Amino acid sequence: ESGTPCEVDLDSIVDRVSIRTALEAGNVEDAVEGTNNLDLQILRRDPALLFHLKQQQLIEYIRNGDVDRALSFAQGDLAPMIENGGGTFVDELEQTMMLLAYERPADCPTAHLLGQEQRRKTASELNAAILQAQKQQQEPRLPMMVRMMQWAQAELQEEHHVRFPVIDDVAAAEPKLRSHDDAPLTDQR
């Protein structure tokens, strides 16, 4: 409507949302396939992300009660990553494998791995990697601009002793002129 050109490829947003949705639903294979369709190098460049995606796949097998497949996957896919990575992910794999030691994985001390928050964490990590690969910002601009405004206000007040209307309540976005004792001046109508 404003005539401002869109700086972001809208198709890439749709792709990222679909990848994130798949991962948050436990469809790790679909998320990996979607990521590889976007850019084959994303997962190749980031061994930690690849490990976390494979760890999430293992968690999904455990969640579904597919113990044989989980063990086979851990031995065939995750163990070589640990050997090749110098043991970097040993603790994380051990915590995940602990889920298999319990008849009811929900009773395990690491049962939090079965929760939706774990899926969200992995999805966020993947989304950040995709954004980085597409050279897009990983953080929305508005919060960054608010922090910059607050920093600039503090800098002007503390370092340069400049009087100007200050926005204290970002939600209301009402500038208020401060008195010399740093209290906001009220409207005297």
Side-chain angles (χ1 to χ4, degrees):
E1 289 181 15
S2 70
T4 308
C6 183
E7 297 175 10
V8 177
D9 177 19
L10 297 179
D11 290 336
S12 73
I13 293 173
V14 171
D15 292 338
R16 281 188 303 106
V17 167
S18 131
I19 290 167
R20 183 179 196 112
T21 302
L23 197 48
E24 288 181 354
N27 300 323
V28 179
E29 291 164 349
D30 291 348
V32 169
E33 182 180 332
T35 303
N36 287 335
N37 288 340
L38 280 178
D39 183 347
L40 280 170
Q41 296 304 312
I42 292 173
L43 299 179
R44 289 182 184 159
R45 278 191 302 255
D46 193 341
L49 173 60
L50 181 58
F51 175 83
H52 290 136
L53 287 167
K54 289 184 181 232
Q55 177 189 30
Q56 189 63 46
Q57 183 64 62
L58 175 62
I59 291 167
E60 298 304 331
Y61 290 143
I62 295 168
R63 176 185 278 117
N64 295 330
D66 197 345
V67 175
D68 292 337
R69 195 163 181 194
L71 288 170
S72 174
F73 185 78
Q75 289 173 335
D77 286 53
L78 290 167
M81 288 186 78
I82 289 176
E83 290 169 10
N84 296 336
T88 307
F89 308 111
V90 171
D91 290 340
E92 292 178 77
L93 181 57
E94 284 177 350
Q95 286 189 6
T96 306
M97 295 302 288
M98 193 184 307
L99 294 167
L100 291 170
Y102 285 76
E103 189 171 319
R104 290 193 43 206
D107 295 336
C108 179
T110 59
H112 67 278
L113 295 173
L114 297 168
Q116 190 63 27
E117 187 56 37
Q118 177 66 25
R119 286 177 172 173
R120 274 193 218 95
K121 178 181 163 188
T122 306
S124 292
E125 183 180 358
L126 178 56
N127 189 55
I130 293 170
L131 286 170
Q132 183 178 18
Q134 294 176 340
K135 311 259 189 284
Q136 294 182 26
Q137 284 186 294
Q138 297 177 29
E139 182 179 331
R141 289 184 183 172
L142 185 57
M144 181 179 62
M145 291 173 66
V146 168
R147 286 193 301 275
M148 288 174 58
M149 177 198 67
Q150 291 170 333
W151 172 84
Q153 286 180 165
E155 183 75 12
L156 286 170
Q157 287 175 334
E158 295 167 13
E159 299 296 323
H160 302 286
H161 308 292
V162 176
R163 283 193 53 188
F164 61 94
V166 175
I167 297 176
D168 287 323
D169 182 358
V170 178
E174 294 177 14
K176 296 193 176 12
L177 189 59
R178 295 192 172 275
S179 66
H180 291 293
D181 62 357
D182 209 31
L185 294 173
T186 56
D187 193 7
Q188 302 288 331
R189 291 185 201 179

